[in-house]
Amino acid sequence: MSSTPVYCLIDDDEISNLISATIIQKVTGAQVITFTRAREALEYLQSAERLPDAIFLDINMPEMNGWEFLDAVEQLPGDIKNALQIYMLSSSIDIEDQRKAETYRLVRGYITKPISPDKMVATVSN
């Protein structure tokens, strides 16, 4: 098994994904798998040979938003959901979104966009 971390980035904005993935790769050396649709990411988690070491999840997305994704992950088998570490990565600075994120057991942190090398270092060093 590879020792390189694998991170999953779920955000409907392709430009944001590109910028975030580049920063995550530079700071952590991780392989970053990106999804622009939360449903596709959910399907990936259900069939992945290797689960991501961390997931960076946007809140506001069409079809399935970040909250709906979190609710769906809670329904996954225990061996999958218990292995996940999810960080909300959102442009929302609404304190209510941050409080709501804290109510999910799987959410390890809340990062406001745009992501920066300093924010990434602070996140991965926790």
Side-chain angles (χ1 to χ4, degrees):
M1 183 176 267
S2 173
S3 60
T4 301
V6 175
Y7 293 160
C8 180
L9 182 57
I10 308 167
D11 190 331
D12 63 309
D13 183 335
E14 290 185 29
I15 300 296
S16 183
N17 269 347
L18 178 64
I19 293 167
S20 296
T22 301
I23 290 171
I24 292 168
Q25 287 170 331
K26 284 186 177 182
V27 170
T28 67
Q31 173 189 354
V32 180
I33 302 166
T34 61
F35 294 94
T36 54
R37 294 181 46 206
R39 283 197 201 287
E40 291 175 357
L42 192 60
E43 291 168 8
Y44 167 78
L45 293 176
Q46 294 173 21
S47 62
E49 289 183 27
R50 177 180 175 191
L51 292 171
D53 296 290
I55 295 173
F56 296 91
L57 175 66
D58 187 27
I59 294 173
N60 297 312
M61 297 181 284
E63 297 176 31
M64 175 184 267
N65 66 34
W67 308 124
E68 293 165 332
F69 178 85
L70 288 169
D71 291 339
V73 166
E74 284 293 342
Q75 303 307 310
L76 294 177
D79 61 326
I80 296 176
K81 73 178 175 188
N82 294 334
L84 300 177
Q85 294 188 58
I86 300 174
Y87 296 88
M88 303 308 287
L89 178 59
S90 180
S91 56
S92 172
I93 56 171
D94 186 342
I95 193 71
E96 291 306 315
D97 282 340
Q98 294 177 32
R99 286 186 181 137
K100 185 173 181 176
E102 291 171 2
T103 68
Y104 286 88
R105 182 183 60 84
L106 297 174
V107 174
R108 301 284 187 256
Y110 192 100
I111 306 165
T112 54
K113 288 194 255 181
I115 195 167
S116 68
D118 289 343
K119 289 179 187 177
M120 194 70 239
V121 167
T123 299
V124 298
S125 64
N126 285 338

